[in-house]
Amino acid sequence: MELKSRFMEANDVYKIITSDLDETLLRKDGSISQQNIDAIAQATARGVKFVPNTGRNFLTVQPLLKQLGLAQQAGEYVISFNGGAVIENQGNRVVLSNEMPYAEAKRVFELFTEFDVDVHVYTLDHLYIYRPREDDEAYLQTRGVAFTEFDGNFSQFKDDHVMKVIAMNPDMTVRRAANDRIQAEFADINTAYSSGIYIEVNHGGVDKGNAILELGEQLGVSADEIMAIGDNDNDLPMLRKVGLPVSVQNGIPAVKEVATYVTPHDYECGVADAINKFVLNN
């Protein structure tokens, strides 16, 4: 009730801003501009929630949360694993978990190994990679993402919580073929492309959009009171389900088509553009 009361006192139309990270809020080197930091700080000072909504593990988002003043804060949240988990920042408490059934995750992994990709297996608190590629390692390093290489024995995850399985190859032809193979095997599963190099797989019905709506429901915030900002394929579910869908200038055509507003700038300060226009009225 306290959270809802605080929201009702705000005059802003949008009570939650949820944003993708890589290539939306963050530059290509993983850093964030001062313009974006300042705009987010002004919005949160008004009681508006800023919820990072990412495919990454919430643990890798902690340095960013510190920059934004949201680390270890009660009543502040991160959505991780493309909607696989909603985490309260204080104590990294799991509010919602939508993991993959073991048999499903295992089969996705097996299918991915048929292609020229490396394969990521995300558990709730760790990342494992089978056949890590040098270009993937270089990309992860810019994001401060650590991982453990494993030998492909998927049975080690039988008693763990697998949140998602993804594959990496910069060649879209390879990623599209892998996606087609996954879709042909499963009647109900969620696949999406991200960062121009990944194909990501979650359990059916698990996506960034459903996760932010579920969090909004817990906080007494309707879809119409949520702004979502993204750039890529895996952002489409949240953009389609909120009151104000925003694409940064570098968004892919499908994202710009769904968006109500396309920012004049890219990831350098596109998030700030949207916050200034629709929350701060600058």
Side-chain angles (χ1 to χ4, degrees):
M1 292 298 294
E2 182 180 348
L3 284 176
K4 294 181 183 181
S5 297
R6 186 169 17 150
F7 282 134
M8 293 302 290
E9 290 170 4
N11 293 321
D12 300 310
V13 174
Y14 300 104
K15 309 297 190 270
I16 295 177
I17 304 164
T18 189
S19 175
D20 172 57
L21 295 186
D22 298 316
E23 291 84 47
T24 296
L25 179 65
L26 304 180
R27 302 179 178 114
K28 287 188 178 295
D29 64 359
S31 64
I32 180 174
S33 70
Q34 192 62 47
Q35 296 101 310
N36 282 341
I37 292 173
D38 291 345
I40 292 167
Q42 291 177 58
T44 58
R46 294 190 179 190
V48 179
K49 299 289 184 191
F50 184 82
V51 181
N53 202 330
T54 178
R56 290 205 246 150
N57 186 314
F58 59 93
L59 296 173
T60 71
V61 183
Q62 300 308 306
L64 173 65
L65 295 179
K66 289 179 181 178
Q67 286 185 280
L68 299 178
L70 300 175
Q72 293 302 312
Q73 295 298 305
E76 302 292 346
Y77 303 88
V78 171
I79 295 173
S80 286
F81 313 113
N82 288 330
V86 178
I87 309 295
E88 183 176 19
N89 296 350
Q90 186 178 59
N92 291 327
R93 183 175 69 91
V94 179
V95 176
L96 179 70
S97 178
N98 293 311
E99 63 193 72
M100 297 180 76
Y102 173 76
E104 177 184 78
K106 181 174 184 292
R107 184 57 179 154
V108 169
F109 172 79
E110 291 170 347
L111 293 174
F112 273 152
T113 62
E114 298 175 5
F115 297 87
D116 178 23
V117 297
D118 70 8
V119 187
H120 297 204
V121 178
Y122 282 82
T123 65
L124 190 59
D125 57 6
H126 203 72
L127 167 60
Y128 299 85
I129 301 183
Y130 176 60
R131 303 185 310 210
R133 296 169 50 105
E134 289 185 6
D135 48 357
D136 197 9
E137 291 186 58
Y139 179 82
L140 293 173
Q141 188 173 10
T142 67
R143 268 55 184 166
V145 177
F147 68 89
T148 299
E149 184 175 357
F150 83 108
D151 62 5
N153 180 11
F154 202 86
S155 63
Q156 72 182 75
F157 305 113
K158 190 168 182 58
D159 297 318
D160 212 330
H161 303 279
V162 177
M163 308 308 295
K164 68 172 185 175
V165 180
I166 78 176
M168 184 275 188
N169 188 307
D171 187 341
M172 183 59 176
T173 303
V174 174
R175 299 199 309 277
R176 187 176 291 113
N179 182 48
D180 290 345
R181 184 74 177 90
I182 298 295
Q183 292 291 337
E185 182 87 7
F186 294 94
D188 182 25
I189 204 162
N190 187 29
T191 66
Y193 300 109
S194 67
S195 298
I197 54 176
Y198 294 117
I199 172 71
E200 310 209 11
V201 182
N202 289 84
H203 186 54
V206 177
D207 59 47
K208 292 182 176 185
N210 285 334
I212 192 61
L213 293 187
E214 289 170 331
L215 176 60
E217 184 176 0
Q218 289 192 21
L219 299 176
V221 178
S222 70
D224 288 341
E225 297 172 308
I226 301 173
M227 177 200 303
I229 312 171
D231 76 291
N232 217 309
D233 184 63
N234 64 333
D235 300 319
L236 288 170
M238 70 176 180
L239 297 175
R240 290 182 175 126
K241 292 170 183 172
V242 301
L244 179 59
V246 174
S247 171
V248 285
Q249 182 58 231
N250 56 289
I252 64 173
V255 167
K256 289 182 175 179
E257 184 177 346
V258 167
T260 299
Y261 177 68
V262 178
T263 66
H265 297 98
D266 60 11
Y267 44 75
E268 180 65 29
C269 57
V271 169
D273 288 339
I275 293 174
N276 286 330
K277 183 176 180 65
F278 295 105
V279 176
L280 304 178
N281 301 315
N282 291 340

